[in-house]
């Protein structure tokens, strides 16, 4: 158990819909990262937050957004869903970015039908 | 944008040592070398990291070349549970900037034979 909790574990939704994925980081971790893993793209970095502020953006689509709340949990919002958004979405946390290890959750498997 | 090069796949026999190579010729002075692995159907997990000196922990050893342009992850006795994709990642220690993210490449898929 990494200490990072992601909910829900599985999500099935229709095209055009909007979903919210939730991540609770390990106690004490200030930095949260979101990743998308699909079969053809591998693990893609989406976005990073540090102590409530957005710090870096990766390959995140405009239809996707995220935020980190004062209690440090984070949510990833995916809207106008397309079939190609079906993937595993991982959240990770670390004390700070940089030289510390990051801990990954078990992921949310999103299926868009 | 991975700045590392790893073999696509490697095979090992159970209970034998495994040496997983990684080239990172453009490494900068503030880049730490991180290794993560992803077991089937799980999220990535941290294995080890280092800056200049060789490092050991309960999972593995990390040997870093003197010029830091390459490194090797060493599993001393491979088990079936070690079958996974291993990622070598450079991570900027300067978290005051926008770096410090883990950018995953394709990694090396390690197969362990009984």
């Amino acid at each position: 158990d990494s200490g990072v909790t992601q909910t829900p574990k599985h999500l099935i939704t229709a095209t055009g819909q909007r979903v919210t994925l939730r991540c609770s980081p390990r106690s004490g971790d200030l930095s949260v990262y979101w990743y998308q893993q699909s079969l053809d793209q591998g693990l893609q970095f989406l976005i990073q937050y540090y102590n409530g502020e957005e710090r870096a953006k990766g390959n995140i689509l405009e239809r996707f957004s995220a935020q980190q709340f004062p209690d440090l949990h984070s949510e990833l919002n995916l809207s106008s869903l397309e079939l190609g958004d079906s993937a595993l979405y991982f959240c990770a946390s670390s004390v700070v970015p940089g030289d510390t290890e990051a801990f990954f959750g078990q992921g949310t498997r999103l299926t868009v039908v | 944008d991975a700045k590392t090069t790893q073999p696509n796949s490697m095979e090992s026999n159970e209970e034998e040592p495994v040496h997983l190579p990684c080239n990172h010729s453009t490494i900068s002075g503030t880049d730490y070398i991180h290794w993560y692995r992803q077991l089937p159907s799980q999220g990535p997990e941290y294995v080890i990291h280092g800056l200049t000196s060789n490092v050991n922990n309960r999972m593995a050893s990390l040997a870093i070349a003197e010029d830091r342009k390459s490194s090797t992850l060493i599993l001393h006795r491979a088990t079936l549970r070690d079958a996974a994709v291993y990622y070598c990642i450079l991570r900027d220690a300067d978290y005051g900037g926008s770096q410090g993210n883990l950018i995953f490449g394709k990694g090396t898929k390690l197969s362990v034979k009984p």
Side-chain angles (χ1 to χ4, degrees):
Chain A
D1 182 7
S2 67
V4 177
T5 304
Q6 289 188 248
T7 56
K9 286 189 170 48
H10 301 275
L11 197 50
I12 301 175
T13 190
T15 54
Q17 294 299 305
R18 181 179 193 272
V19 297
T20 298
L21 311 184
R22 182 187 170 99
C23 171
S24 295
R26 281 190 335 148
S27 176
D29 284 357
L30 301 179
S31 195
V32 169
Y33 315 78
W34 286 97
Y35 289 83
Q36 179 193 57
Q37 186 171 39
S38 56
L39 280 174
D40 56 344
Q41 292 291 326
L43 268 162
Q44 298 287 309
F45 167 68
L46 295 178
I47 198 165
Q48 175 204 352
Y49 282 85
Y50 175 50
N51 207 17
E53 292 188 5
E54 181 185 305
R55 294 304 297 268
K57 267 186 174 180
N59 302 320
I60 188 166
L61 300 172
E62 285 192 9
R63 299 184 285 110
F64 296 179
S65 64
Q67 58 184 129
Q68 186 179 28
F69 294 87
D71 67 353
L72 301 177
H73 90 270
S74 179
E75 292 180 356
L76 178 67
N77 300 298
L78 316 175
S79 62
S80 303
L81 284 167
E82 302 174 358
L83 295 177
D85 297 327
S86 297
L88 266 169
Y89 291 84
F90 288 105
C91 168
S93 72
S94 63
V95 177
V96 293
D99 67 343
T100 60
E101 62 184 278
F103 296 83
F104 283 76
Q106 290 296 302
T108 293
R109 181 172 293 280
L110 174 66
T111 303
V112 183
V113 298
Chain B
D1 294 349
K3 299 174 283 186
T4 63
T5 304
Q6 300 177 253
N8 290 333
S9 63
M10 290 184 66
E11 271 192 359
S12 170
N13 294 316
E14 198 176 11
E15 299 194 2
E16 288 187 359
V18 181
H19 291 235
L20 297 163
C22 181
N23 288 319
H24 28 79
S25 58
T26 59
I27 191 170
S28 74
T30 55
D31 281 340
Y32 276 75
I33 302 160
H34 286 247
W35 283 83
Y36 281 74
R37 71 180 185 180
Q38 188 172 20
L39 302 172
S41 303
Q42 294 193 27
E45 65 174 347
Y46 168 84
V47 177
I48 200 166
H49 77 282
L51 185 62
T52 56
S53 305
N54 294 344
V55 185
N56 299 297
N57 66 21
R58 63 175 180 80
M59 287 181 71
S61 295
L62 177 59
I64 301 172
E66 200 170 327
D67 63 6
R68 301 213 319 131
K69 293 186 177 181
S70 66
S71 61
T72 302
L73 179 70
I74 302 166
L75 306 180
H76 296 286
R77 286 183 66 200
T79 68
L80 296 178
R81 194 190 173 276
D82 291 321
V85 179
Y86 286 78
Y87 299 97
C88 170
I89 303 164
L90 301 184
R91 195 176 187 202
D92 195 330
D94 179 15
Y95 62 82
S98 64
Q99 298 301 315
N101 299 303
L102 291 167
I103 305 298
F104 289 82
K106 300 290 186 187
T108 296
K109 184 173 183 178
L110 176 67
S111 302
V112 180
K113 296 182 291 185

